[in-house]
């Protein structure tokens, strides 16, 4: 038994009472098999992070925590969001774990890829990305928008791993390097590649959600995408500048055209051209102010240095120290 290979599987939860029993069963079996095979320490754990759930999620986590020695829980005082839940789990586990795997509770990401990730870590890789090689269970709209997002981020110069979400393994040193990033506007998919270190991929087919409803509806997906773009690129600011230059050029052309028409005596008065110009320029100005405001808002959020989350209760540390 390699006692130093302690694995912690961090699972963020938000209103997951319907799927949690199956999640504990499936991931618990995977973890027990890894321990039996001697690939990870007997002190390895599953760490559920309750992100302000309103249902029975936390009571179930407490129940399983008493029932299974390898199940632990962390409870937020309120909802802080999926990315903060992942970060809290990693922050709690990093002092005791040699490797950390993050995965969502909905079982859409194939849990049978976990042993492959561990094997890759034992081969010397610090970062192992779980990559979807099939997204047939997603809607056509979601597949198309995801592809467009990854293409856009690539053109903006942001290094992402296509079709890789927040299902990954990080070594202890990779986790510590990631935790040195202090921004409040988290986009872990873009932050992890910045860590560097030796990385590889494990491929799997995405499944349908086992139970319950998706916690990422369209509005959250859009907000998440905007966070990713504005947190890693100032290209939108450059776009505003180019848009302004194009508008000025068009305005100059219109002025020359108007002057020529005046000289030739072909003056035609009308409200259409005036109103179109007003609405066009007004729309450009509002869009520009909104984009700049998005960046100013992020600066405002960062400079306050408020805590990313508040932990109300956690028993992970207690269980780890008991060994």
């Amino acid at each position: 038994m390699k006692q130093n290979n302690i694995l912690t599987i961090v699972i963020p939860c938000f209103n997951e009472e319907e799927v949690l029993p199956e999640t504990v069963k499936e991931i618990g079996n995977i973890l027990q098999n890894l321990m039996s095979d001697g690939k990870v320490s007997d002190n390895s754990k599953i760490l559920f992070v309750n992100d302000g759930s309103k249902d029975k999620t936390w009571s179930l986590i407490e129940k399983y925590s008493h029932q299974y020695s390898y199940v632990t829980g962390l409870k937020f005082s309120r909802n802080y969001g999926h990315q903060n839940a992942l970060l809290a789990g990693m922050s709690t586990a990093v002092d005791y774990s040699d490797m950390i795997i993050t995965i969502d509770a909905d079982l859409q990401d194939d849990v049978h890829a976990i042993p492959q990730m561990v094997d890759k870590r034992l081969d010397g890789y610090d970062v192992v990305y779980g990559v979807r090689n099939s997204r047939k269970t997603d809607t056509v709209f979601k597949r198309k928008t995801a592809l467009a997002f990854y293409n856009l981020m690539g053109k903006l110069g942001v290094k992402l791993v296509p079709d890789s979400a927040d299902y990954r393994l990080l070594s202890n040193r990779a986790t510590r390097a990631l935790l040195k990033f202090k921004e409040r506007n988290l986009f872990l998919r873009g932050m992890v590649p910045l860590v560097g270190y030796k990385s590889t991929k494990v491929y799997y087919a995405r499944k349908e959600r086992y139970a319950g409803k998706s916690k990422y509806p369209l509005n959250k997906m859009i907000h998440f995408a905007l966070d990713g773009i504005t947190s890693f690129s100032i290209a939108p600011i450059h776009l505003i500048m180019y848009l302004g230059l194009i508008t000025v050029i068009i305005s100059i052309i219109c002025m020359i055209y108007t002057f020529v028409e005046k000289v030739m005596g072909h003056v035609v008065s009308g409200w259409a051209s005036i109103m179109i110009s007003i609405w066009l320029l007004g729309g450009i100005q509002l869009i520009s102010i909104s984009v700049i405001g998005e960046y100013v808002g992020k600066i405002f959020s960062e400079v306050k240095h408020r805590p990313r989350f508040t932990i109300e209760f956690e028993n992970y540390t207690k269980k780890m120290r008991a060994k």
Side-chain angles (χ1 to χ4, degrees):
M1 174 64 64
K2 297 179 179 179
Q3 292 295 338
N4 60 319
N5 285 333
I6 297 176
L7 166 66
T8 298
I9 303 174
V10 175
I11 307 175
C13 301
F14 178 66
N15 295 337
E16 298 287 3
E17 65 176 358
E18 294 179 74
V19 73
L20 207 57
E22 188 66 19
T23 303
V24 171
K25 176 184 174 182
E26 289 207 19
I27 296 183
N29 287 337
I30 294 291
L31 184 60
Q32 287 179 308
N33 289 336
L34 286 170
M35 291 189 290
S36 298
D37 293 341
K39 293 183 177 180
V40 301
S41 167
D42 286 338
N43 204 21
S44 297
K45 297 286 185 287
I46 300 172
L47 173 57
F48 290 101
V49 182
N50 181 42
D51 184 23
S53 299
K54 302 299 182 184
D55 60 3
K56 298 179 181 178
T57 295
W58 179 245
S59 61
L60 285 173
I61 292 173
E62 286 188 306
K63 170 188 171 183
Y64 294 128
S65 180
H66 288 103
Q67 187 174 349
Y68 303 109
S69 61
Y70 54 80
V71 175
T72 60
L74 183 156
K75 182 182 180 183
F76 280 171
S77 60
R78 63 172 178 84
N79 178 255
Y80 283 93
H82 178 267
Q83 299 290 282
N84 280 312
L86 290 173
L87 198 72
M90 289 188 285
S91 300
T92 302
V94 69
D95 288 335
Y96 301 93
S97 306
D98 297 287
M99 60 187 99
I100 295 175
I101 290 177
T102 57
I103 184 173
D104 290 341
D106 56 18
L107 298 179
Q108 284 191 280
D109 295 324
D110 188 3
V111 299
H112 295 94
I114 291 176
Q116 299 176 54
M117 290 182 172
V118 172
D119 287 340
K120 294 294 185 182
R121 171 60 194 139
L122 297 179
D123 287 339
Y125 291 96
D126 285 283
V127 181
V128 184
Y129 297 100
V131 179
R132 303 157 183 166
N133 58 10
S134 173
R135 302 187 62 157
K136 293 180 180 179
T137 57
D138 289 340
T139 62
V140 174
F141 174 77
K142 191 168 185 178
R143 291 200 299 268
K144 295 293 185 183
T145 52
L147 179 62
F149 173 70
Y150 283 116
N151 288 336
L152 175 61
M153 294 296 281
K155 290 179 180 178
L156 293 177
V158 182
K159 185 180 179 182
L160 294 179
V161 179
D163 288 319
S164 174
D166 290 304
Y167 186 21
R168 64 179 73 88
L169 178 148
L170 296 175
S171 67
N172 182 275
R173 69 171 182 168
T175 304
R176 290 186 183 278
L178 178 64
L179 294 177
K180 291 180 181 179
F181 291 77
K182 298 301 181 182
E183 57 256 46
R184 267 61 181 169
N185 300 287
L186 297 174
F187 186 65
L188 294 176
R189 300 180 196 186
M191 293 167 64
V192 172
L194 295 178
V195 169
Y197 294 130
K198 190 178 180 182
S199 66
T200 188
K201 303 172 184 175
V202 166
Y203 294 92
Y204 67 94
R206 185 169 170 81
K207 300 180 179 180
E208 291 187 7
R209 184 181 176 86
Y210 179 80
K213 296 180 180 180
S214 172
K215 303 306 182 295
Y216 262 90
L218 181 60
N219 62 326
K220 281 193 174 183
M221 287 173 59
I222 293 173
H223 186 268
F224 185 65
L226 288 175
D227 257 352
I229 293 170
T230 55
S231 294
F232 281 83
S233 174
I234 60 171
I237 299 292
H238 292 158
L239 181 62
I240 290 174
M241 181 183 68
Y242 298 140
L243 190 59
L245 290 173
I246 292 171
T247 304
V248 170
I249 293 171
I250 293 174
S251 300
I252 292 172
I253 293 172
C254 289
M255 288 173 61
I256 294 172
Y257 173 77
T258 302
F259 179 75
V260 171
E261 288 292 295
K262 175 70 173 178
V263 171
M264 296 180 64
H266 299 155
V267 179
V268 179
S269 60
W271 283 96
S273 58
I274 296 175
M275 294 305 296
I276 289 173
S277 299
I278 293 173
W279 282 101
L280 175 63
L281 292 174
I284 291 174
Q285 288 172 345
L286 288 174
I287 292 172
S288 302
I289 292 171
S290 297
V291 173
I292 294 171
E294 181 74 19
Y295 284 94
V296 173
K298 288 192 182 316
I299 295 171
F300 177 68
S301 175
E302 294 288 343
V303 298
K304 287 185 291 187
H305 297 295
R306 290 179 179 174
R308 292 162 167 162
F309 46 81
T310 301
I311 296 174
E312 182 177 335
F313 176 85
E314 69 96 354
N315 61 9
Y316 174 89
T317 303
K318 182 178 179 180
K319 281 196 171 185
M320 294 303 290
R321 289 176 176 173
K323 289 288 184 177

